[in-house]
Amino acid sequence: MDVNAAVAAAAAIAGVLTGVIAMLAFRWSERDQKRPTRTSLHTDPVLPPGVDTVLSVLRSSAVVLDEADAVVKASSAAYALGLVRGGKLAVEPMMQMARDTRRDGEIRQVELDLPRRGTGRGEALAVSARVAPLGSRLVLLLVEDLTEARRIEAVRRDFVANVSHELKTPVGALSLLSEAVMDASDDPEAVERFAGRMQIEATRLTNLVQELIDLSRVQNDDPLEDAEPVRVDELVAEAIDRCRHQAGTKQITMAAGGTADLSIWGNRGQLAAALGNLVENAVNYSPARTRVGIAARRVTAPGGDLIEIAVTDQGIGISEKDRERVFERFYRVDPARSRQTGGTGLGLAIVKHVAASHGGEVTVWSSEGQGSTFTLRLPEAAVARDRGIDHDMPGLDDEDENGQPDGTTTVTSPYEPLPAPEVLP
């Protein structure tokens, strides 16, 4: 009996010791798991409080790198620009900047030209990269896309250069002609001839300045501030009357047709200037004794009915390479003919901006030797008034390196071209 009691006591003591040892081992293991290690610090970095929220609202592309150059956080814009691929920063110069900043803690900034993803034309993506330390282990990279700003600056620079060149030509001619008049003061015939040339150059200078003012106005003004229903018949009649003298001089017949009683909602002055520019171009670039047609019609579109006004001529036509550029400022298909007609190269640019600001577009169909058809496509008055016009449209402010809106397109006209030039009675 004493032996059995001793065995039972020993077993109880052994069980208690085993439980104590197991409990101590569990506590030790739990504390060891909570202790940070080099591996856990490397694989699971933590952003400082509030940084994640700030990065999510930044316009710049943001990338956070840890001490092993792995990406801890990257914005969607960074992926879109191709800065991050496979969890790594894909731009070596930026990676080197991050390493240098991690080493000495200095903030660095540099502008880089990066290849654009998804294009085979080798277009460069201009960016500004800024690297700064974020805490003791992380590095923050902010990348700003400068491509659009540089493109707009180039457009403005080219525009100023073109304006300077265009103004210099008539001003220089006036200066030379005035000297010729002074030298020929004793020759009445020479004075009369030089004075006539001075009037031509003065008129060209006046037209250029006026079209520059018109272009600036249609780009900056809101056409709906003074919007009203504008009858298409009245616009066509005004455009024909504007070009009646030039057409009569060249014996060009102008014919109007299409659907009657159509209206457009917009600025009457701008719409009249746009249609007048199209008709004037048609007359100026048409041979003598031919015909210019202006036709209007209503077409059905997903967003509501549109009014199309097509101006068709029997002129020299426009080549395929020139059709892509005719809406650029100061671009001329035939510079020699433009000098003869006094063209400034701004008329179609004005038409383009008027169409875009009124929620429409202008397109061109042309064939060399057969003539051209320019089509204004604008919302009908009731539709435009009811839904309003979206001024943040492609093509209104967004221009390419040549000053041409991204939304401008060249399409086949739905109108039948006029027959080949013929002598009209």
Side-chain angles (χ1 to χ4, degrees):
M1 194 64 174
D2 293 337
V3 174
N4 292 335
V7 172
I13 294 173
V16 171
L17 291 175
T18 301
V20 171
I21 293 172
M23 183 181 64
L24 292 175
F26 176 78
R27 293 286 181 86
W28 182 269
S29 175
E30 187 179 41
R31 187 178 64 177
D32 189 63
Q33 289 179 0
K34 292 181 178 180
R35 182 185 303 166
T37 63
R38 292 181 60 87
T39 302
S40 64
L41 287 174
H42 172 68
T43 58
D44 189 23
V46 179
L47 292 176
V51 172
D52 194 13
T53 302
V54 173
L55 295 182
S56 64
V57 298
L58 286 178
R59 296 182 59 183
S60 304
S61 302
V63 181
V64 178
L65 304 174
D66 63 10
E67 67 271 18
D69 293 333
V71 175
V72 177
K73 176 72 176 180
S75 64
S76 57
Y79 286 99
L81 289 178
L83 303 179
V84 178
R85 300 176 191 172
K88 291 287 186 179
L89 187 62
V91 183
E92 183 57 34
M94 296 181 186
M95 180 70 78
Q96 187 60 47
M97 289 174 58
R99 292 167 180 167
D100 295 340
T101 296
R102 187 184 299 109
R103 183 180 63 254
D104 54 26
E106 292 185 5
I107 298 176
R108 289 174 168 81
Q109 184 168 350
V110 67
E111 292 188 3
L112 301 171
D113 291 333
L114 307 178
R116 189 186 295 271
R117 296 183 62 189
T119 61
R121 295 175 292 178
E123 296 178 351
L125 187 70
V127 298
S128 174
R130 184 178 179 88
V131 180
L134 186 64
S136 59
R137 300 183 298 105
L138 304 179
V139 174
L140 173 63
L141 170 66
L142 295 177
V143 179
E144 189 77 21
D145 188 357
L146 304 179
T147 307
E148 185 68 11
R150 285 191 181 181
R151 185 186 61 78
I152 293 176
E153 182 60 30
V155 169
R156 291 175 178 171
R157 185 169 56 249
D158 292 343
F159 180 70
V160 171
N162 287 330
V163 169
S164 302
H165 174 74
E166 295 294 334
L167 290 174
K168 182 179 179 180
T169 301
V171 169
L174 288 172
S175 177
L176 292 175
L177 289 169
S178 64
E179 293 179 4
V181 169
M182 294 177 62
D183 294 339
S185 58
D186 56 348
D187 186 351
E189 292 183 1
V191 169
E192 185 177 355
R193 184 172 66 255
F194 292 143
R197 288 296 307 169
M198 290 178 69
Q199 287 184 340
I200 294 175
E201 295 298 333
T203 300
R204 179 175 298 177
L205 180 60
T206 301
N207 292 339
L208 176 59
V209 173
Q210 184 59 50
E211 291 203 345
L212 286 172
I213 294 173
D214 293 342
L215 180 61
S216 176
R217 182 178 295 117
V218 300
Q219 286 180 315
N220 298 324
D221 291 354
D222 182 358
L224 296 188
E225 289 184 357
D226 302 317
E228 59 179 331
V230 181
R231 289 178 57 85
V232 175
D233 295 342
E234 296 176 358
L235 293 178
V236 172
E238 186 174 338
I240 292 177
D241 187 64
R242 166 178 167 177
C243 303
R244 192 178 302 279
H245 176 70
Q246 298 98 306
T249 301
K250 301 173 65 175
Q251 300 181 38
I252 293 176
T253 300
M254 291 189 291
T259 307
D261 298 328
L262 299 177
S263 296
I264 300 171
W265 181 260
N267 183 290
R268 180 184 180 84
Q270 292 188 14
L271 293 172
L275 184 58
N277 285 344
L278 291 181
V279 176
E280 185 175 11
N281 276 358
V283 172
N284 288 337
Y285 285 89
S286 293
R289 296 182 296 277
T290 56
R291 183 172 56 184
V292 171
I294 306 101
R297 69 174 184 176
R298 179 188 292 109
V299 296
T300 303
D305 289 348
L306 299 175
I307 303 299
E308 286 188 349
I309 309 174
V311 179
T312 303
D313 62 58
Q314 297 173 285
I316 59 176
I318 306 172
S319 66
E320 184 176 356
K321 64 181 182 65
D322 289 323
R323 285 200 299 270
E324 299 177 356
R325 303 188 60 189
V326 291
F327 296 102
E328 297 175 18
R329 302 165 183 151
F330 298 110
Y331 185 79
R332 298 180 178 91
V333 175
D334 187 348
R337 184 179 291 267
S338 294
R339 286 193 295 269
Q340 295 174 2
T341 60
T344 62
L346 291 175
L348 290 179
I350 293 174
V351 175
K352 170 194 67 180
H353 283 282
V354 170
S357 65
H358 284 75
E361 62 177 350
V362 57
T363 58
V364 58
W365 171 93
S366 186
S367 178
E368 292 185 85
Q370 296 186 26
S372 306
T373 297
F374 285 85
T375 304
L376 267 175
R377 188 175 291 108
L378 300 166
E380 192 172 12
V383 175
R385 183 175 61 247
D386 292 341
R387 75 180 186 185
I389 301 297
D390 181 9
H391 290 84
D392 190 16
M393 295 179 57
L396 181 57
D397 299 314
D398 302 329
E399 295 175 335
D400 64 14
E401 63 275 8
N402 297 314
Q404 177 179 346
D406 298 335
T408 300
T409 57
T410 302
V411 300
T412 301
S413 171
Y415 295 88
E416 291 294 330
L418 290 174
E422 59 180 348
V423 177
L424 299 177

